[in-house]
């Protein structure tokens, strides 16, 4: 892992380091993530050496850029670079179809991994977190995300809906589990909708992944909202998978691939705050329309061993050729 500061120089410096590794290290296969400008030099360096290249393509990243210039640059990268790779992995069937329509071949489905290892959180850990954030008997609504252009893309709707809910019942509490460069922007949104930090909401900030389960364990509900657009239709929401693995009810709106995979596991609501509020209250009153989690299905399809075996077979076949 290469340190990458959030600045133009930081991105350039880290890209140079990655490229040097790709040029100098002894390896058989270069495995990288995403067709973005920060990864392309390393990909080109490996190809110049005649090395095999596999790229994991999880999203259409051009959809998540903050301005038109970045959108165009990333779109060009995602349009040309896939033809340079030997194999592509993705966890989205819709992204696979999108690529194949463009004549891109050798693309394989490899699901995401969700961690089941730390699912049993001690009561002591739960109590400590509740005391730290003064949650008391609050009804905690969790929202898991990175505060980046892609990760926090639809958080404005969540904040607006929760603010309306809290106006009617101030025992609700919004817990944003995550952090990132857009934290100040999110804080401004909270202020605009009269949500006060520590009183009825909190931003946890960046935490180690093993800590995520602890915070999810104190949530009564996990929230999700996905606008109807190309980027959301093709992506598979990892936050939904984390909620399900943590055995908490999932409430919100899904689209595309995420809806196809997980709608039967979630409590979907109408695309307005009234439907959202009704669904939350319905669940907290103890109503169950169905089993919230098909744990065996989730474990089988998204466990570490399953993905490890898929990747092992894929890479072994590549090196054999």
């Amino acid at each position: 892992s290469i340190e990458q500061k959030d600045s133009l120089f930081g991105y350039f410096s880290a890209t140079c380091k990655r490229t040097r590794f790709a040029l100098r290290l002894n390896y058989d296969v270069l495995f990288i993530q995403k067709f973005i400008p920060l990864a392309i030099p390393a990909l080109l360096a490996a190809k110049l050496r005649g090395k095999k290249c596999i790229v994991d393509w999880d999203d259409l990243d051009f959809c998540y850029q903050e301005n038109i210039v970045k959108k165009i640059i990333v779109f060009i990268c995602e349009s040309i670079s896939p033809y340079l790779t030997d194999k592509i992995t993705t966890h989205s069937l819709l992204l696979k179809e999108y690529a194949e329509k463009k004549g891109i071949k050798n693309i394989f489905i490899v699901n995401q991994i969700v961690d089941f290892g730390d699912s049993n959180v001690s009561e002591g850990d739960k109590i400590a977190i509740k005391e730290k954030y003064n949650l008391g008997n609050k009804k905690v609504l969790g929202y898991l995300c990175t505060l980046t252009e892609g990760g926090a893309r639809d958080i404005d709707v969540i904040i607006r809906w929760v603010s309306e809910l809290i106006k009617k019942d101030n025992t609700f509490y919004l817990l944003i589990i995550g952090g990132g460069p857009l934290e100040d922007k999110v804080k401004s949104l909270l202020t605009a909708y009269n949500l006060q930090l520590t009183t009825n909401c909190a931003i946890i900030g960046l935490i180690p992944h093993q800590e995520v389960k602890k915070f999810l364990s104190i949530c009564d509900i996990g929230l999700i909202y996905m606008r109807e657009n190309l980027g959301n239709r093709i992506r598979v929401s990892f936050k939904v998978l984390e909620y399900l693995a943590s055995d908490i009810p999932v409430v919100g709106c899904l689209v595309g691939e995420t809806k196809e995979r997980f709608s039967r596991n979630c409590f979907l609501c109408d695309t307005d705050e009234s439907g959202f509020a009704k669904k939350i209250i319905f669940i907290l009153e103890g109503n169950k329309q169905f089993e919230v989690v098909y744990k065996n299905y989730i474990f089988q399809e998204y466990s570490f061993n399953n993905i490890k075996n898929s990747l092992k077979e894929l890479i072994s076949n590549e090196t054999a050729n």
Side-chain angles (χ1 to χ4, degrees):
S1 181
I2 296 171
E3 183 180 356
Q4 183 171 282
K5 294 183 179 179
D6 187 21
S7 66
L8 188 60
F9 177 78
Y11 296 139
F12 178 76
S13 175
T15 299
C16 289
K17 289 179 183 178
R18 282 189 288 268
T19 305
R20 285 202 300 272
F21 281 129
L23 285 169
R24 294 177 181 176
L25 290 181
N26 181 28
Y27 58 90
D28 298 302
V29 178
L30 178 72
F31 193 103
I32 61 176
Q33 292 179 301
K34 298 180 177 291
F35 293 109
I36 56 175
L38 304 180
I40 301 307
L43 172 64
L44 294 175
K47 295 306 293 183
L48 284 172
R49 294 181 62 187
K51 300 293 186 179
K52 300 285 188 178
C53 294
I54 300 176
V55 179
D56 184 56
W57 196 5
D58 59 348
D59 294 312
L60 287 178
D61 281 281
F62 80 87
C63 295
Y64 305 121
Q65 303 307 307
E66 59 187 340
N67 60 57
I68 189 64
V69 174
K70 289 184 178 180
K71 285 181 183 290
I72 291 172
I73 292 172
V74 176
F75 177 77
I76 292 171
C77 290
E78 290 185 317
S79 297
I80 297 174
S81 304
Y83 298 101
L84 303 177
T85 62
D86 296 281
K87 286 184 180 177
I88 299 169
T89 63
T90 183
H91 51 251
S92 170
L93 286 166
L94 292 181
L95 181 52
K96 184 175 186 289
E97 292 174 6
Y98 172 90
E100 289 174 340
K101 286 179 181 177
K102 293 180 175 292
I104 298 168
K105 301 178 180 179
N106 293 324
I107 182 166
F108 302 87
I109 294 293
V110 177
N111 283 337
Q112 295 163 302
I113 300 170
V114 65
D115 181 16
F116 292 86
D118 298 322
S119 57
N120 296 319
V121 180
S122 71
E123 285 301 316
D125 284 336
K126 294 179 183 180
I127 291 170
I129 294 173
K130 287 186 175 182
E131 288 181 348
K132 180 178 179 180
Y133 292 94
N134 298 314
L135 295 178
N137 294 319
K138 295 279 189 179
K139 292 169 280 195
V140 182
L141 307 176
Y143 187 75
L144 176 65
C145 68
T146 55
L147 299 183
T148 59
E149 287 294 333
R153 192 165 182 80
D154 301 313
I155 196 173
D156 59 306
V157 177
I158 293 292
I159 291 173
R160 174 164 55 85
W161 285 0
V162 171
S163 71
E164 292 298 318
L165 194 59
I166 289 175
K167 284 179 185 177
K168 299 171 183 176
D169 183 349
N170 63 9
T171 63
F172 283 103
Y173 192 97
L174 176 62
L175 192 67
I176 300 173
I177 306 168
L182 296 184
E183 187 167 324
D184 288 340
K185 182 178 179 180
V186 172
K187 286 180 179 177
S188 296
L189 271 174
L190 293 171
T191 301
Y193 286 104
N194 298 314
L195 291 175
Q196 299 177 357
L197 289 169
T198 72
T199 302
N200 43 37
C201 66
I203 299 175
I204 302 304
L206 293 173
I207 56 174
H209 186 259
Q210 59 266 31
E211 296 290 310
V212 169
K213 283 283 195 298
K214 293 180 182 179
F215 286 94
L216 287 177
S217 71
I218 65 163
C219 295
D220 296 289
I221 286 173
L223 304 179
I224 176 71
Y225 181 82
M226 303 176 75
R227 286 184 170 90
E228 176 58 50
N229 55 51
L230 177 61
N232 280 343
R233 282 198 302 275
I234 281 181
R235 80 189 314 185
V236 179
S237 173
F238 188 65
K239 64 169 61 68
V240 172
L241 197 51
E242 286 274 26
Y243 295 155
L244 294 176
S246 299
D247 282 333
I248 59 175
V250 184
V251 175
C253 299
L254 308 178
V255 298
E257 181 93 0
T258 305
K259 187 174 183 179
E260 286 291 322
R261 288 180 182 239
F262 303 125
S263 61
R264 65 177 182 170
N265 304 76
C266 303
F267 295 93
L268 303 186
C269 64
D270 297 331
T271 56
D272 60 73
E273 60 261 28
S274 174
F276 174 74
K278 287 177 181 177
K279 192 66 70 171
I280 287 176
I281 293 167
F282 178 82
I283 293 165
L284 293 180
E285 286 177 349
N287 295 291
K288 298 290 183 182
Q289 295 170 309
F290 44 71
E291 283 294 320
V292 176
V293 179
Y294 296 98
K295 194 74 174 253
N296 290 335
Y297 163 76
I298 298 293
F299 182 80
Q300 180 181 356
E301 294 296 320
Y302 300 95
S303 69
F304 176 78
N305 283 334
N306 189 334
I307 307 327
K308 179 182 70 175
N309 292 334
S310 297
L311 281 176
K312 184 176 180 181
E313 181 180 357
L314 188 70
I315 295 173
S316 296
N317 290 341
E318 191 58 50
T319 53
N321 295 327

